[in-house]
Amino acid sequence: MSLIIDKKFINMVSPMLPKFAWKKENLANCRCPICGDSKKNKSKARGFFFAKNNDMFYRCHNCGVSTTMYKFLESVSPALCKEYSLERWKNGENGNSNYKKPEFKFEQPKFNISDNVLDGLKNINELEENHPCRKFVENRKIPQEFYSVLYYTDDFGALAEKLDPEINLEKEPRLVIPILNTKNRVIAIQGRSLSKKKDIIRYITIKGDKSIERLWYGFCRLNNENPYIVVEGPLDSLFLDNCVAMVGINDGSEVPEPLKNKDLIFVIDNEPRNKQVIAQIEKLINNGRTVCIWPNTIDQKDINDMILNGYTKQQLTDIIKNNSYSGIEAKLKLQQWKKV
């Protein structure tokens, strides 16, 4: 069963992998998203997914990385990684699992939390008016009050290596979103691509300490008013008051200390045709969480898109509060909302 799940998630992440193709039943090939593969020859594809025992693994013959599906997804797509982990667990294949472990052992390194990772970077306020990153932030209508906590780098690969010396990413410009803990220390960074190319990985998240299972963004902006709004992405959280973001898929079974014993509304993207989105909402409901089920009058996918289409912060806050449900009522609303 684990081999089937692994291949399913390889297919799900494949749109992010240039030159991806299945070569045999249990062998797939792509350009390596970790190292970027050959910069001179764009036709080279030296990343391979292969079966070993009852699991799929990934290896790049350019940079030498060799790792499990979980670690690969964690580097390339944290959102899919969380969904993958939940599905393996659901099938009894994590922890005390019933599948045969790989023969080699992957030691998970730990790194120091860094306070100087942002040294030398300019925040958005410090960029020239015509700078591409500043233009991107302005065009997304991100509130100016947050320009000082968003940064730019022209070499995300070098920046990522500061937090994780084993990471190997190519040089490229990205918007940098620092992720802080409750003591306002940088524990991770998220890089948002400025490119419009479809084959570019839009978000890359790098942890300074991989023992931190779940990342959350925005604790410093919370007040003591209920309810707290929980959205999917850091940038979306900047458009609402008293709002934090999950970084990656979360089933709501555990929340960090600042959110415990608080009234929480989980706001997932408005994608009624997306099976993964529906599955996540179902898990949140089953774990006793209150969720927002978007009304049919809204067509936009996420908070930022809604802002770009003219909704105000107050309008969105009212819509979220007026369309939030839990328990049986949430399950009924979800059945009416989903379109798959």
Side-chain angles (χ1 to χ4, degrees):
M1 184 63 177
S2 54
L3 189 63
I4 296 173
I5 294 174
D6 285 4
K7 290 172 70 175
K8 169 186 171 181
F9 277 84
I10 290 172
N11 285 327
M12 289 171 67
V13 78
S14 64
M16 301 181 183
L17 308 177
K19 297 191 70 64
F20 175 86
W22 284 99
K23 300 298 184 181
K24 296 180 181 179
E25 181 180 0
N26 293 328
L27 179 67
N29 175 228
C30 66
R31 284 177 63 80
C32 178
I34 308 299
C35 67
D37 225 304
S38 173
K39 294 181 181 179
K40 294 182 179 179
N41 189 342
K42 299 300 182 182
S43 66
K44 284 191 175 182
R46 291 174 285 187
F48 289 88
F49 297 93
F50 61 95
K52 189 171 185 179
N53 298 324
N54 198 33
D55 299 88
M56 296 293 291
F57 296 91
Y58 176 80
R59 179 173 180 80
C60 174
H61 293 289
N62 182 46
C63 63
V65 65
S66 180
T67 189
T68 62
M69 272 299 299
Y70 180 90
K71 291 295 178 184
F72 177 84
L73 289 173
E74 187 179 51
S75 297
V76 174
S77 176
L80 275 180
C81 180
K82 182 53 62 179
E83 184 70 21
Y84 170 78
S85 180
L86 289 172
E87 185 150 344
R88 293 279 297 236
W89 174 82
K90 181 178 68 176
N91 285 278
E93 296 172 339
N94 275 349
N96 298 321
S97 59
N98 58 11
Y99 72 98
K100 191 173 181 180
K101 300 287 185 182
E103 294 177 4
F104 63 84
K105 206 172 183 181
F106 182 83
E107 294 290 339
Q108 189 178 64
K110 287 189 176 182
F111 305 100
N112 293 327
I113 294 175
S114 175
D115 287 325
N116 62 0
V117 67
L118 303 176
D119 287 356
L121 298 185
K122 289 184 177 182
N123 65 42
I124 304 305
N125 276 329
E126 297 172 316
L127 298 176
E128 297 82 3
E129 289 187 4
N130 61 348
H131 192 283
C133 188
R134 187 182 184 109
K135 286 295 185 183
F136 171 83
V137 171
E138 290 175 346
N139 290 339
R140 300 305 301 180
K141 293 190 177 181
I142 294 172
Q144 287 190 359
E145 61 189 285
F146 300 115
Y147 283 15
S148 62
V149 296
L150 298 173
Y151 295 80
Y152 168 75
T153 179
D154 61 0
D155 189 351
F156 188 76
L159 180 64
E161 194 173 349
K162 281 187 177 183
L163 272 182
D164 185 346
E166 292 198 350
I167 205 74
N168 188 2
L169 298 175
E170 64 181 13
K171 179 179 179 179
E172 64 169 330
R174 282 183 179 260
L175 170 69
V176 178
I177 307 166
I179 299 171
L180 313 179
N181 62 11
T182 54
K183 297 180 181 178
N184 289 329
R185 299 186 66 192
V186 178
I187 58 173
I189 56 172
Q190 187 173 81
R192 206 295 186 183
S193 173
L194 303 177
S195 173
K196 295 182 180 180
K197 295 180 180 178
K198 292 184 179 181
D199 60 347
I200 294 292
I201 300 172
R202 185 176 295 181
Y203 288 96
I204 298 177
T205 303
I206 307 296
K207 294 180 182 179
D209 183 349
K210 293 184 180 179
S211 67
I212 301 173
E213 184 177 358
R214 292 183 176 89
L215 294 171
W216 294 77
Y217 177 83
F219 289 138
C220 61
R221 293 186 289 106
L222 293 175
N223 55 46
N224 292 322
E225 298 178 6
N226 278 323
Y228 289 179
I229 296 174
V230 182
V231 298
E232 286 194 80
L235 293 183
D236 275 351
S237 72
L238 302 179
F239 295 100
L240 301 173
D241 293 334
N242 213 26
C243 181
V244 295
M246 307 174 286
V247 184
I249 292 177
N250 194 312
D251 65 359
S253 57
E254 294 183 13
V255 295
E257 191 61 38
L259 303 182
K260 288 183 177 178
N261 302 316
K262 303 293 184 182
D263 294 335
L264 306 177
I265 300 176
F266 285 79
V267 181
I268 310 303
D269 284 350
N270 184 29
E271 296 185 88
R273 300 184 187 278
N274 187 314
K275 292 181 179 179
Q276 283 70 45
V277 165
I278 294 167
Q280 185 182 7
I281 297 175
E282 287 176 339
K283 289 167 186 173
L284 288 166
I285 295 171
N286 291 336
N287 282 321
R289 297 300 180 183
T290 298
V291 297
C292 172
I293 306 294
W294 293 102
N296 294 330
T297 53
I298 295 182
D299 298 322
Q300 294 75 36
K301 182 179 77 74
D302 58 30
I303 299 292
N304 198 173
D305 285 345
M306 294 172 197
I307 291 289
L308 291 175
N309 277 272
Y311 286 92
T312 67
K313 175 169 64 176
Q314 188 58 55
Q315 285 175 325
L316 289 177
T317 301
D318 290 342
I319 290 170
I320 289 169
K321 290 181 178 179
N322 293 331
N323 292 275
S324 295
Y325 311 94
S326 60
I328 296 297
E329 187 179 17
K331 291 183 179 181
L332 291 173
K333 290 291 183 180
L334 180 60
Q335 289 298 319
Q336 297 169 1
W337 175 76
K338 68 180 185 179
K339 296 180 181 178
V340 293

